[in-house]
Amino acid sequence: MIGLFLGTLRWDDVTFVEFWRTPDLNNAIAAAAAGLLVLGVVATLILLTVRGWWRPLWRDWLTSLDHKKIGIMYVALALVMFARAVAEANVMRAHQATAALDAGLVAPDHFAELFSTHGTIMIFLVAMPLLTGIMNFVMPLQIGARDVSFPLLNAISLMLTAAAAGLVMVSLVLGHFSTGGWSGYPPYTGADISPGEGPDYWIWALTLSSIGSTLTGMNFAVTLYKRRVQGMHLFRMPLFCWTVLCTSILMIFAMAPLTLATLMLWLDRHAGFHFFTVGSGGDMMNFANLFWLFGHPEVYILILPAFGVWSEVFSTFSGKRLFGYLSLVYATMAIAVLSFTVWLHHFFTMGQSANVNAAFGIATMLIGVPTGVKVYDWLLTMMFGRVRLRVPMLFANYFLVTFLLGGVTGVLLANPTVDYGVHNSLFLVAHFHNMLIPGTLFAMLAAIHLWFPKAFGFRLHEGWGRAVFWLMAPGFLLAFMPLYAMGMMGGMRRTAYFSDPLFRPWLWAAEAGAVLILAGFAALVVQIVVSVRRRDALAVPAGDPWDGRSLEWLGPAPAFEFNFAGEPKVEDVDAFTALKAQGEAYRRQETYEDIEMPRNSAVPVVIGALAGLAAFAMVWQAWATAALAFAGVWAVVIGRSFVRDTERTIPAAEVEAAHRAWLADVAAATPVHRRDELTPENRGLAEEPL
Amino acid sequence: MSDVRHPGLNLGTTDSPVHDAAEETVFGFWVLMMSDLALFAVLFATYAAMSVHGIAGGPAPVEIFDLKSTLWQTLALLASSFTFGMAALALKYDDDRRALSLWLGATFVLGALFLGLEARDWARMVTEHGATPQVSGFLSIFYLLTGTHFVHVAAGLLWMLVMAAQLAIFGLDGAVKLRLMRLAIYWHLLDVVWVAIFSFVFLSGLAP
Amino acid sequence: MSDDHDLPRSEDVGEAAERRQYIRGAVATLALTLAAFGLVGSGYVSGGTALVVLCTLAIVQIAAHFRFFLHIDLARSHRDDLQLILFTALIVALMVGGTVWILFDQHTRM
């Protein structure tokens, strides 16, 4: 009976008990990680209670359906998960660097768990929530909308993602995560070889997050199609919105194969099915096929929004219209479609004939063409511009150089013959980190620096931002350039011990790089704390700290809850620049209207909690708990459909008061020249261009 | 702006305010359904491979499929698409709750009949041929593909019950109309998926 | 999305006309279904021919479902929506075609 509700979960599964039973270094590290998590949670709970923050947390954040707050929560979630995943990277590199001398820091299984959680977290719970958060915050503002099309669904997506994060976090304390890597190939992850709860943690964390992403993709695509303000034709959307649109379409179609592959794997593991088993007609190669049917579009889900951010950064900090807008749009579309034609390059070595490999190899190389177009467009955007090397622009220029390097190694890997030589080697690890760190991660850091003022009303401290850059930029090179070399020397990925002394210096260099990246993250935390402390000097209430070009900069910082007092006028791609040039950006409005906004709702939190519980119960085969929680999710969904009063009205008078207060801030601000934009004089009002 | 802003089924000019509100909601639902179709597509692709390579000494498609039973299932589902169409007409033109309820009820019965026939078919395969999903890769994907469709249809029936409750409580208000329209799209698309299932699974399997 | 145009013929043609559409749809899909079942049941087609014939009938029937039951047609106002469906068809074709190609090719080499 209890088994139905607790499943296979036992005291022995608690990491601390494991350490108590076998107190060695390996278990000490696991227990320390679990202890840090528990302490962190307890400290957060105490802080919330002591400061009396529970109520505002619930009322203003967790139950909020405001796309801006949801976006910020996504980013916060991603940063917490980033802390864990980057710490794991450090443990792995420290282990590898010391492992040949004695047993190293962790046991091989623990090492495997580390690279599995590192990859799973970085892709699904850092990169995805970071970009979903930024898209959530920025996109509706850029198209002049009040919110996304389905605010409740938006919050549900967030809570499902948070539930997935919770599940991966719980695996630190209860039991073990998968040791099968982030791609979880059977038969290794099948019931015979990995009978424990590990692969199930992986399966259900991915399922939760991919359902969330599918809903997000649908939500954003519909928002972009249906919520653009009058005058904002598709071809007047800021480029970032184009990348959001293409990303959303990828999310809509790419998540299905993943959900299916993980479901099939689960059926193999627990119901005796034969999708990927050895024998009985199973075909394990189909797992690779299905996984990468998702996985390759996923790569572009991760990189396209980054391209959008870079486009905004280059244009804003060059004080110049984006070069080749149309070519960038078409390049984005081409990449989105091509991304569905190349998945086989992840398993060139699986034994299909040369013709198949050649076709997918050529398709892969083709993607380099539109990507190259983009790089030239960005370079030409800077040409003849007044380039200001603010923190986002530092990252952007660094990106151009390093991303080119990653792209070139990618074209090398696209050649099946070359791939046979370096498949699954550290060369590959170097390649995709080379795309994802300067590409995605640094884009998201640039985005945080760029849009932070709009979210919180003050700029981030520039000096500490430079510190972040100067730690992370060399950190990346140091951490991953050695991996190219080691890959060429025959070093394989996911290897716990390298005995060849030739690898030693490279491993230490990589470890040093990992430390620098961790230090960069610490600097980011310091930067946020320092900026909060000095928020008065950094405040930009007038809302336009960077002489922005698109609509998100119209209005105060932080933004109105309802985004815009009236419908902004759009006559150009750089809509806000046009408004400023016409002197219409800071106009009083004749009339104000009541605004309908969605009411707060506890439904997303409840759904997230129940879905998380259901997933956790599935991991531990507690079928009754799982069934109850799953039924609970649908009961809440159906119950919600009977609720009619879901909107509330912000009266026109309130809108008018808020708008006038902002105009007063604008009147009080002195327009600043761009050379002074980092001084306290910058209150968010840009000097008119000559 | 045009009067028709989302695909297919609509309320047109018979209920303009709701028609306007439908723009986003129904379009969003269409997009979600496209994601669902992608899910089925991947199931079909896997079926295509495993029904040939994954038999592994177990029963082959031609041994376990039953043409007549499949035809009855198909006719039940096809008829339910038509009855839902009639329900949609009642919804759009008559604002007539009685006709609407009647047609929806007929759809529900036909859907339930389909589920019953399919369940009977599975039971026959298991008892007569020992064809459980654990036997071979082919049977695994066969049950997953048809089972996924089955669960979808069952969810559609549950949805109809919820809508019946909402009709009783709220009458034909805007939200209820919108949900019925989405249910209609859902139902017709399940029929589309079934067309693919009977063609590529059952009939292809039975063609000697 | 935002251009002005007239109502397409398939919309707001009145209840009677729309009812006729549904009836036409029912007849067409019934005929196609029976044709497919009949061809297989009678053993008239087999092997590769069967697959081609069934595939053709299925595509026509799916088109009929979209046309008569879901009211998707070539009218101008439906272009965007037709695009959504055609794009889905493209992605589905890539996924299914690619998967089948890869798995069958691998199988021949085992």
PDB file of all heavy atoms in Angstrom, chain A residues 381-400:
ATOM      1  N   THR A 381      26.926  46.670 -40.172  1.00  0.00           N
ATOM      2  CA  THR A 381      26.176  47.563 -39.289  1.00  0.00           C
ATOM      3  C   THR A 381      27.141  48.446 -38.502  1.00  0.00           C
ATOM      4  O   THR A 381      26.893  49.635 -38.296  1.00  0.00           O
ATOM      5  CB  THR A 381      25.309  46.738 -38.311  1.00  0.00           C
ATOM      6  OG1 THR A 381      24.438  45.912 -39.061  1.00  0.00           O
ATOM      7  CG2 THR A 381      24.493  47.643 -37.410  1.00  0.00           C
ATOM      8  N   MET A 382      28.261  47.857 -38.086  1.00  0.00           N
ATOM      9  CA  MET A 382      29.222  48.640 -37.314  1.00  0.00           C
ATOM     10  C   MET A 382      29.982  49.641 -38.181  1.00  0.00           C
ATOM     11  O   MET A 382      30.383  50.698 -37.718  1.00  0.00           O
ATOM     12  CB  MET A 382      30.217  47.703 -36.625  1.00  0.00           C
ATOM     13  CG  MET A 382      29.637  46.984 -35.438  1.00  0.00           C
ATOM     14  SD  MET A 382      30.907  46.223 -34.437  1.00  0.00           S
ATOM     15  CE  MET A 382      31.446  44.919 -35.509  1.00  0.00           C
ATOM     16  N   MET A 383      30.164  49.274 -39.464  1.00  0.00           N
ATOM     17  CA  MET A 383      30.949  50.130 -40.340  1.00  0.00           C
ATOM     18  C   MET A 383      30.302  51.506 -40.473  1.00  0.00           C
ATOM     19  O   MET A 383      29.093  51.620 -40.665  1.00  0.00           O
ATOM     20  CB  MET A 383      31.061  49.481 -41.721  1.00  0.00           C
ATOM     21  CG  MET A 383      32.228  50.001 -42.503  1.00  0.00           C
ATOM     22  SD  MET A 383      32.688  48.806 -43.749  1.00  0.00           S
ATOM     23  CE  MET A 383      31.909  49.498 -45.176  1.00  0.00           C
ATOM     24  N   PHE A 384      31.095  52.529 -40.323  1.00  0.00           N
ATOM     25  CA  PHE A 384      30.649  53.932 -40.385  1.00  0.00           C
ATOM     26  C   PHE A 384      29.696  54.283 -39.242  1.00  0.00           C
ATOM     27  O   PHE A 384      29.107  55.344 -39.234  1.00  0.00           O
ATOM     28  CB  PHE A 384      29.978  54.283 -41.719  1.00  0.00           C
ATOM     29  CG  PHE A 384      30.826  53.975 -42.916  1.00  0.00           C
ATOM     30  CD1 PHE A 384      30.340  53.183 -43.942  1.00  0.00           C
ATOM     31  CD2 PHE A 384      32.122  54.464 -43.004  1.00  0.00           C
ATOM     32  CE1 PHE A 384      31.125  52.886 -45.042  1.00  0.00           C
ATOM     33  CE2 PHE A 384      32.902  54.172 -44.102  1.00  0.00           C
ATOM     34  CZ  PHE A 384      32.418  53.384 -45.127  1.00  0.00           C
ATOM     35  N   GLY A 385      29.522  53.367 -38.300  1.00  0.00           N
ATOM     36  CA  GLY A 385      28.681  53.718 -37.156  1.00  0.00           C
ATOM     37  C   GLY A 385      29.521  54.355 -36.079  1.00  0.00           C
ATOM     38  O   GLY A 385      30.756  54.390 -36.153  1.00  0.00           O
ATOM     39  N   ARG A 386      28.824  54.924 -35.068  1.00  0.00           N
ATOM     40  CA  ARG A 386      29.568  55.422 -33.907  1.00  0.00           C
ATOM     41  C   ARG A 386      29.544  54.337 -32.850  1.00  0.00           C
ATOM     42  O   ARG A 386      28.652  54.298 -32.013  1.00  0.00           O
ATOM     43  CB  ARG A 386      28.922  56.688 -33.372  1.00  0.00           C
ATOM     44  CG  ARG A 386      28.982  57.796 -34.370  1.00  0.00           C
ATOM     45  CD  ARG A 386      28.455  59.050 -33.775  1.00  0.00           C
ATOM     46  NE  ARG A 386      28.625  60.118 -34.755  1.00  0.00           N
ATOM     47  CZ  ARG A 386      28.485  61.381 -34.459  1.00  0.00           C
ATOM     48  NH1 ARG A 386      28.152  61.726 -33.231  1.00  0.00           N
ATOM     49  NH2 ARG A 386      28.667  62.293 -35.385  1.00  0.00           N
ATOM     50  N   VAL A 387      30.537  53.473 -32.933  1.00  0.00           N
ATOM     51  CA  VAL A 387      30.525  52.287 -32.092  1.00  0.00           C
ATOM     52  C   VAL A 387      30.875  52.651 -30.653  1.00  0.00           C
ATOM     53  O   VAL A 387      31.852  53.348 -30.395  1.00  0.00           O
ATOM     54  CB  VAL A 387      31.524  51.250 -32.637  1.00  0.00           C
ATOM     55  CG1 VAL A 387      31.611  50.050 -31.710  1.00  0.00           C
ATOM     56  CG2 VAL A 387      31.107  50.820 -34.028  1.00  0.00           C
ATOM     57  N   ARG A 388      30.008  52.242 -29.730  1.00  0.00           N
ATOM     58  CA  ARG A 388      30.280  52.445 -28.295  1.00  0.00           C
ATOM     59  C   ARG A 388      30.517  51.085 -27.657  1.00  0.00           C
ATOM     60  O   ARG A 388      29.622  50.239 -27.661  1.00  0.00           O
ATOM     61  CB  ARG A 388      29.077  53.119 -27.622  1.00  0.00           C
ATOM     62  CG  ARG A 388      28.922  54.571 -27.943  1.00  0.00           C
ATOM     63  CD  ARG A 388      27.532  54.896 -28.423  1.00  0.00           C
ATOM     64  NE  ARG A 388      26.477  54.440 -27.517  1.00  0.00           N
ATOM     65  CZ  ARG A 388      25.264  54.104 -27.931  1.00  0.00           C
ATOM     66  NH1 ARG A 388      24.976  54.124 -29.221  1.00  0.00           N
ATOM     67  NH2 ARG A 388      24.353  53.746 -27.071  1.00  0.00           N
ATOM     68  N   LEU A 389      31.724  50.905 -27.117  1.00  0.00           N
ATOM     69  CA  LEU A 389      32.064  49.598 -26.578  1.00  0.00           C
ATOM     70  C   LEU A 389      31.532  49.421 -25.155  1.00  0.00           C
ATOM     71  O   LEU A 389      32.289  49.281 -24.215  1.00  0.00           O
ATOM     72  CB  LEU A 389      33.562  49.354 -26.621  1.00  0.00           C
ATOM     73  CG  LEU A 389      34.121  48.999 -27.999  1.00  0.00           C
ATOM     74  CD1 LEU A 389      35.626  48.804 -27.933  1.00  0.00           C
ATOM     75  CD2 LEU A 389      33.466  47.753 -28.559  1.00  0.00           C
ATOM     76  N   ARG A 390      30.209  49.458 -25.014  1.00  0.00           N
ATOM     77  CA  ARG A 390      29.595  49.122 -23.727  1.00  0.00           C
ATOM     78  C   ARG A 390      29.652  47.607 -23.546  1.00  0.00           C
ATOM     79  O   ARG A 390      29.951  46.870 -24.491  1.00  0.00           O
ATOM     80  CB  ARG A 390      28.138  49.599 -23.690  1.00  0.00           C
ATOM     81  CG  ARG A 390      27.949  51.047 -24.069  1.00  0.00           C
ATOM     82  CD  ARG A 390      28.574  52.020 -23.071  1.00  0.00           C
ATOM     83  NE  ARG A 390      28.463  53.380 -23.562  1.00  0.00           N
ATOM     84  CZ  ARG A 390      29.515  54.155 -23.884  1.00  0.00           C
ATOM     85  NH1 ARG A 390      30.746  53.695 -23.731  1.00  0.00           N
ATOM     86  NH2 ARG A 390      29.336  55.365 -24.329  1.00  0.00           N
ATOM     87  N   VAL A 391      29.270  47.148 -22.360  1.00  0.00           N
ATOM     88  CA  VAL A 391      29.416  45.710 -22.070  1.00  0.00           C
ATOM     89  C   VAL A 391      28.765  44.822 -23.140  1.00  0.00           C
ATOM     90  O   VAL A 391      29.403  43.885 -23.642  1.00  0.00           O
ATOM     91  CB  VAL A 391      28.871  45.380 -20.659  1.00  0.00           C
ATOM     92  CG1 VAL A 391      28.889  43.881 -20.415  1.00  0.00           C
ATOM     93  CG2 VAL A 391      29.703  46.091 -19.612  1.00  0.00           C
ATOM     94  N   PRO A 392      27.523  45.089 -23.544  1.00  0.00           N
ATOM     95  CA  PRO A 392      26.938  44.204 -24.570  1.00  0.00           C
ATOM     96  C   PRO A 392      27.755  44.210 -25.858  1.00  0.00           C
ATOM     97  O   PRO A 392      27.876  43.185 -26.534  1.00  0.00           O
ATOM     98  CB  PRO A 392      25.549  44.810 -24.816  1.00  0.00           C
ATOM     99  CG  PRO A 392      25.264  45.620 -23.619  1.00  0.00           C
ATOM    100  CD  PRO A 392      26.582  46.112 -23.105  1.00  0.00           C
ATOM    101  N   MET A 393      28.323  45.365 -26.193  1.00  0.00           N
ATOM    102  CA  MET A 393      29.080  45.465 -27.440  1.00  0.00           C
ATOM    103  C   MET A 393      30.419  44.739 -27.318  1.00  0.00           C
ATOM    104  O   MET A 393      30.919  44.179 -28.305  1.00  0.00           O
ATOM    105  CB  MET A 393      29.275  46.941 -27.755  1.00  0.00           C
ATOM    106  CG  MET A 393      29.627  47.213 -29.182  1.00  0.00           C
ATOM    107  SD  MET A 393      28.358  46.627 -30.326  1.00  0.00           S
ATOM    108  CE  MET A 393      28.844  47.539 -31.773  1.00  0.00           C
ATOM    109  N   LEU A 394      30.989  44.722 -26.101  1.00  0.00           N
ATOM    110  CA  LEU A 394      32.210  43.933 -25.900  1.00  0.00           C
ATOM    111  C   LEU A 394      31.917  42.461 -26.200  1.00  0.00           C
ATOM    112  O   LEU A 394      32.635  41.806 -26.956  1.00  0.00           O
ATOM    113  CB  LEU A 394      32.686  44.056 -24.447  1.00  0.00           C
ATOM    114  CG  LEU A 394      33.337  45.365 -24.019  1.00  0.00           C
ATOM    115  CD1 LEU A 394      33.641  45.319 -22.527  1.00  0.00           C
ATOM    116  CD2 LEU A 394      34.612  45.601 -24.807  1.00  0.00           C
ATOM    117  N   PHE A 395      30.826  41.990 -25.599  1.00  0.00           N
ATOM    118  CA  PHE A 395      30.446  40.597 -25.844  1.00  0.00           C
ATOM    119  C   PHE A 395      30.179  40.377 -27.323  1.00  0.00           C
ATOM    120  O   PHE A 395      30.546  39.343 -27.893  1.00  0.00           O
ATOM    121  CB  PHE A 395      29.201  40.231 -25.025  1.00  0.00           C
ATOM    122  CG  PHE A 395      29.490  39.858 -23.600  1.00  0.00           C
ATOM    123  CD1 PHE A 395      28.989  40.596 -22.540  1.00  0.00           C
ATOM    124  CD2 PHE A 395      30.259  38.739 -23.311  1.00  0.00           C
ATOM    125  CE1 PHE A 395      29.256  40.237 -21.228  1.00  0.00           C
ATOM    126  CE2 PHE A 395      30.531  38.370 -22.007  1.00  0.00           C
ATOM    127  CZ  PHE A 395      30.030  39.121 -20.951  1.00  0.00           C
ATOM    128  N   ALA A 396      29.540  41.342 -27.973  1.00  0.00           N
ATOM    129  CA  ALA A 396      29.147  41.166 -29.370  1.00  0.00           C
ATOM    130  C   ALA A 396      30.373  41.026 -30.264  1.00  0.00           C
ATOM    131  O   ALA A 396      30.414  40.162 -31.147  1.00  0.00           O
ATOM    132  CB  ALA A 396      28.287  42.336 -29.818  1.00  0.00           C
ATOM    133  N   ASN A 397      31.368  41.861 -30.041  1.00  0.00           N
ATOM    134  CA  ASN A 397      32.554  41.776 -30.893  1.00  0.00           C
ATOM    135  C   ASN A 397      33.348  40.510 -30.618  1.00  0.00           C
ATOM    136  O   ASN A 397      33.889  39.883 -31.529  1.00  0.00           O
ATOM    137  CB  ASN A 397      33.423  43.017 -30.703  1.00  0.00           C
ATOM    138  CG  ASN A 397      32.868  44.175 -31.511  1.00  0.00           C
ATOM    139  OD1 ASN A 397      33.038  44.226 -32.716  1.00  0.00           O
ATOM    140  ND2 ASN A 397      32.153  45.062 -30.854  1.00  0.00           N
ATOM    141  N   TYR A 398      33.390  40.142 -29.362  1.00  0.00           N
ATOM    142  CA  TYR A 398      34.035  38.886 -28.993  1.00  0.00           C
ATOM    143  C   TYR A 398      33.323  37.724 -29.687  1.00  0.00           C
ATOM    144  O   TYR A 398      33.943  36.809 -30.227  1.00  0.00           O
ATOM    145  CB  TYR A 398      33.971  38.729 -27.479  1.00  0.00           C
ATOM    146  CG  TYR A 398      34.588  37.470 -26.933  1.00  0.00           C
ATOM    147  CD1 TYR A 398      35.960  37.398 -26.710  1.00  0.00           C
ATOM    148  CD2 TYR A 398      33.804  36.376 -26.618  1.00  0.00           C
ATOM    149  CE1 TYR A 398      36.533  36.245 -26.192  1.00  0.00           C
ATOM    150  CE2 TYR A 398      34.361  35.226 -26.105  1.00  0.00           C
ATOM    151  CZ  TYR A 398      35.726  35.154 -25.896  1.00  0.00           C
ATOM    152  OH  TYR A 398      36.282  34.023 -25.390  1.00  0.00           O
ATOM    153  N   PHE A 399      31.985  37.808 -29.698  1.00  0.00           N
ATOM    154  CA  PHE A 399      31.165  36.781 -30.345  1.00  0.00           C
ATOM    155  C   PHE A 399      31.527  36.647 -31.820  1.00  0.00           C
ATOM    156  O   PHE A 399      31.693  35.542 -32.330  1.00  0.00           O
ATOM    157  CB  PHE A 399      29.687  37.140 -30.173  1.00  0.00           C
ATOM    158  CG  PHE A 399      28.778  36.605 -31.234  1.00  0.00           C
ATOM    159  CD1 PHE A 399      28.328  35.297 -31.197  1.00  0.00           C
ATOM    160  CD2 PHE A 399      28.348  37.424 -32.274  1.00  0.00           C
ATOM    161  CE1 PHE A 399      27.484  34.808 -32.179  1.00  0.00           C
ATOM    162  CE2 PHE A 399      27.510  36.947 -33.260  1.00  0.00           C
ATOM    163  CZ  PHE A 399      27.074  35.626 -33.211  1.00  0.00           C
ATOM    164  N   LEU A 400      31.643  37.786 -32.509  1.00  0.00           N
ATOM    165  CA  LEU A 400      31.902  37.725 -33.953  1.00  0.00           C
ATOM    166  C   LEU A 400      33.134  36.880 -34.250  1.00  0.00           C
ATOM    167  O   LEU A 400      33.137  36.038 -35.142  1.00  0.00           O
ATOM    168  CB  LEU A 400      32.107  39.135 -34.514  1.00  0.00           C
ATOM    169  CG  LEU A 400      30.858  39.904 -34.883  1.00  0.00           C
ATOM    170  CD1 LEU A 400      31.233  41.250 -35.471  1.00  0.00           C
ATOM    171  CD2 LEU A 400      30.012  39.113 -35.868  1.00  0.00           C
TER     172      LEU A 400
END
